[in-house]
Amino acid sequence: QVYLTESGGGLVQAGGSLRLSCKAIGLNFRLYSVNWYRQAPGKEREFVARIDTGHTTDYTDSVKGRFTISRDNVRRTSDLQMNSLKPEDTAIYYCNIVSSRNFWGQGTQVTVSS
């Protein structure tokens, strides 16, 4: 069984920071890219960031320069450091790994107040 568990969400004022973490269990973590997505109320789920097996990263334009994705293959975790948060970053954030199928975590709520 594959499990992805996100943590680290919360309520923060605009301009603040949060660090999300995704823990993976049940797969050979080092073999797969890790994606972070988010879904705001009334909106579709959108891509936020990706880190591949070679630690190459990619970000959606709206978070470039503010968010940093990382991974630790020993701990089987991926972190998303979010700085200079804006109210429009408010969403549920999901960790995603595509291996034999598309695996998702349960999500962690991030709320940024103005």
Side-chain angles (χ1 to χ4, degrees):
Q1 279 283 60
V2 175
Y3 295 98
L4 304 179
T5 305
E6 302 94 338
S7 61
L11 173 63
V12 65
Q13 288 188 331
S17 299
L18 284 174
R19 188 176 184 91
L20 307 184
S21 186
C22 171
K23 174 74 173 179
I25 296 174
L27 78 172
N28 196 341
F29 182 78
R30 67 180 64 246
L31 298 182
Y32 304 104
S33 297
V34 180
N35 306 300
W36 283 89
Y37 285 77
R38 65 186 179 187
Q39 187 165 19
K43 295 188 177 181
E44 293 187 354
R45 193 171 296 189
E46 66 170 352
F47 169 79
V48 176
R50 174 182 298 117
I51 184 165
D52 70 13
T53 57
H55 292 248
T56 298
T57 59
D58 186 28
Y59 301 91
T60 192
D61 286 346
S62 62
V63 309
K64 285 180 180 176
R66 300 188 298 121
F67 290 12
T68 303
I69 188 172
S70 61
R71 67 186 295 158
D72 183 329
N73 289 337
V74 174
R75 295 173 58 230
R76 299 187 177 191
T77 58
S78 172
D79 288 354
L80 186 67
Q81 176 67 41
M82 307 187 297
N83 298 329
S84 302
L85 283 162
K86 304 175 180 179
E88 51 263 43
D89 294 318
T90 295
I92 300 174
Y93 284 71
Y94 297 91
C95 178
N96 166 255
I97 293 177
V98 181
S99 61
S100 57
R101 63 180 183 90
N102 214 353
F103 293 102
W104 296 90
Q106 82 289 347
T108 186
Q109 176 71 49
V110 171
T111 303
V112 184
S113 63
S114 57

